[in-house]
């Protein structure tokens, strides 16, 4: 049997662990684009020593900030969006991605908390360690979701009892409520978790799958996005049961169609993935309209510094640099460059600033978003390095390594380049 474990309202539940005053009242965790990264004043940020959680590796805690300090801007406007809300808050209509100001209109007594990512990161890691001791094979699917395979470890007739005890153990040791779906296949188990919420266990046996999925809307199945929903809707397909009855159609779409059909019907043989190799790392920020190009270049350089730090800590040598920008009224531009040079912070910064100058198609328009990504890591493949620049690249790579050691010890802001000041 496969177990899918999903923490209930994880971020909100994390804040309740040591604060019983938050129990049984509507609470939510809200987030804002962390623009302190661009401040000229020094702020200490460190790389988490904990591996395995699916949060940003550079962690800043906002847990000691008041609502006003975190959510209210200098003009008195309430900013930010809801990241997670408790079930008490959801009863008032508070939803993920809803603006905080709107959530407070729906629920005036809502307690909105700033995020505490180091706490979430730590709890996710602790849960992973607990599950590794309890289950032979686990897969971390997200910061608050795991798959576990107990086939041959726990008898099918005992699996509900096992899951119930595991759920109780997680609550007892970590203080976190969790829901567990159980089935013969991964994706039916994940659907089962939705039925188990909140804080329950749901077993779906093979002979129950057809009835379970019959009237379920297609948007509830993981992997069916809005575009795919529209495509299916045009063919009169609105439920998973409709898909079950259109095998020939889905098999005619090749491997992706067959894979989706088999997953939905619970007849796939997909095993849990024991390891995830990181394919890319990225960093971006959304901000108020900014028209000053020198300031945009400065912000790009700062984002590059942080990504260089992450690349060094992950021992990655990225071969592809990507940049996306968004203008105030919705226009976008993007580009990427492939390189076979040894990665260094100086080279990376220069390439991204040059790329920005090349793709800035509306130089009189203000920008509101910048995103940078490093990908195509050299350690995952065999490549021939650029011999013409190799000697200089080696020097720059060693310089980068030296700077990262200092940042690892004293914080990411300890060394900045002139373009960031």
């Amino acid at each position: 049997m496969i177990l899918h474990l999903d923490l209930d309202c994880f971020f909100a539940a994390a804040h309740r662990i040591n604060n019983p005053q938050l129990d049984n009242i509507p609470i939510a965790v809200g987030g804002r684009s962390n623009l302190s990264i661009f401040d000229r004043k020094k702020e200490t940020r460190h790389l988490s020593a904990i591996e395995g959680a699916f949060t940003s590796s550079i962690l800043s805690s906002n847990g000691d900030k008041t609502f006003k300090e975190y959510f209210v801007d200098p003009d008195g406007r309430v900013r930010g969006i809801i990241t997670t809300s408790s079930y008490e808050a959801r009863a008032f209509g508070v939803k993920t991605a809803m603006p905080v100001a709107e959530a407070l209109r729906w629920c005036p007594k809502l307690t909105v908390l700033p995020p505490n990512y180091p706490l979430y990161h730590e709890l996710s890691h602790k849960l992973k360690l607990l599950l590794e001791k309890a289950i032979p094979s686990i897969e971390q699917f997200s910061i608050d979701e795991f798959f576990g395979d107990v086939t041959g470890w726990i008898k099918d007739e005992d699996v509900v009892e096992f899951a119930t005890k595991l759920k109780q153990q997680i609550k007892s040791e970590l203080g976190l409520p969790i829901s567990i779906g159980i089935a013969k296949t991964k994706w039916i188990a994940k659907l089962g978790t939705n039925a188990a919420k909140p804080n329950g266990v749901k077993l779906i046996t093979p002979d129950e799958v057809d009835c379970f999925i019959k009237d379920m809307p297609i948007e509830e199945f993981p992997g069916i996005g809005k575009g795919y929903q529209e495509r299916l809707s045009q063919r009169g397909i609105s439920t998973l049961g409709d898909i079950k009855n259109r095998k020939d159609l889905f098999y005619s779409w090749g491997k992706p169609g067959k894979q989706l059909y088999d997953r939905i019907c619970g007849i796939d043989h997909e095993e849990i993935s024991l390891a995830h190799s990181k394919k890319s790392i990225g960093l971006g920020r959304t901000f108020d309209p900014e028209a000053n190009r020198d300031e945009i270049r400065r912000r790009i350089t700062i984002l590059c510094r942080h990504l260089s730090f992450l690349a060094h800590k992950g021992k990655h040598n990225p071969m592809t640099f990507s940049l996306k920008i968004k203008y105030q009224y919705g226009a976008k531009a993007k580009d990427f460059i492939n390189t076979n040079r040894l990665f260094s912070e100086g080279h990376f910064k220069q390439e991204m600033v040059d790329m920005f100058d090349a793709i800035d198609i509306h130089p009189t328009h203000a920008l509101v978003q910048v995103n940078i990504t490093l990908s195509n890591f050299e350690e995952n493949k065999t490549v021939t390095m650029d011999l013409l620049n190799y000697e200089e690249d080696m020097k720059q790579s060693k310089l980068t390594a030296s700077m990262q050691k200092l940042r690892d010890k004293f914080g990411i802001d300890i060394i900045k380049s002139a373009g960031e000041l």
Side-chain angles (χ1 to χ4, degrees), residues 150-169:
V150 296
T151 304
W153 177 256
I154 303 296
K155 294 180 180 178
D156 287 359
E157 57 266 31
D158 297 332
V159 71
V160 172
E161 180 183 0
F162 172 80
T164 302
K165 289 182 178 179
L166 181 60
K167 182 173 72 71
Q168 294 168 346
Q169 181 185 0

Side-chain angles (χ1 to χ4, degrees), residues 2-6 8 158-168 170 178-183 189 191-204 212:
I2 303 293
L3 275 60
H4 175 257
L5 306 98
D6 189 359
D8 295 331
D158 297 332
V159 71
V160 172
E161 180 183 0
F162 172 80
T164 302
K165 289 182 178 179
L166 181 60
K167 182 173 72 71
Q168 294 168 346
I170 293 168
I178 196 166
S179 297
I180 304 176
I182 311 169
L191 286 181
T193 307
N194 294 335
K197 286 184 173 293
N199 197 31
V201 174
K202 175 68 175 179
L203 168 66
I204 305 167
F212 181 71

